[in-house]
């Protein structure tokens, strides 16, 4: 697992929704979708409750540090839906 990867939630009220990993610590990953869950206040989830999606889709780590990061996350998730 790494920052910027696209994942899908397998459990909880977010089940079936796509997210981007914005941070990782020892026990949890932090997910954002750019709409309800912003990059500054991401959803904390256990890694066993998410599934990594396609290797070819990854938001660049430098983009997670830029301004308008939530807009970039929304655009990335929308683009990945069409692929």
């Amino acid at each position: 697992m790494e920052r910027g990867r696209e994942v899908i939630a397998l459990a909880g009220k977010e089940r079936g929704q796509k997210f981007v990993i914005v941070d990782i610590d020892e026990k949890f990953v932090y997910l954002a979708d750019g709409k309800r869950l912003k990059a500054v206040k991401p959803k904390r989830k256990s890694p066993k409750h998410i599934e990594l999606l396609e290797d070819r889709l990854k938001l660049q780590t430098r983009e997670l540090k830029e301004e308008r990061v939530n807009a970039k996350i929304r655009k990335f998730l929308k683009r990945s839906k069409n692929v």
Side-chain angles (χ1 to χ4, degrees):
M1 261 184 256
E2 58 186 318
R3 293 180 69 201
R5 288 291 305 270
E6 183 182 14
V7 298
I8 191 164
L10 299 176
K13 65 182 178 182
E14 299 87 11
R15 183 179 335 157
Q17 294 178 12
K18 290 183 180 181
F19 297 96
V20 171
I21 298 175
V22 294
D23 203 6
I24 301 172
D25 67 15
E26 300 84 35
K27 292 185 179 182
F28 298 102
V29 294
Y30 297 87
L31 309 175
D33 66 359
K35 293 179 190 172
R36 188 177 66 84
L37 298 169
K38 308 285 187 188
V40 294
K41 191 165 179 168
K43 174 70 178 179
R44 182 181 76 173
K45 274 218 177 281
S46 171
K48 66 183 179 181
H49 293 151
I50 62 170
E51 178 183 338
L52 294 174
L53 294 179
E54 314 255 345
D55 285 337
R56 60 190 166 91
L57 297 174
K58 182 176 185 260
L59 191 64
Q60 298 301 315
T61 305
R62 63 177 163 70
E63 291 180 302
L64 292 173
K65 297 177 183 177
E66 294 178 3
E67 289 184 33
R68 300 186 42 87
V69 66
N70 293 310
K72 290 182 185 291
I73 290 172
R74 287 192 306 268
K75 186 176 180 181
F76 172 76
L77 291 174
K78 185 177 181 180
R79 183 178 63 220
S80 70
K81 187 191 314 186
N82 297 333
V83 172

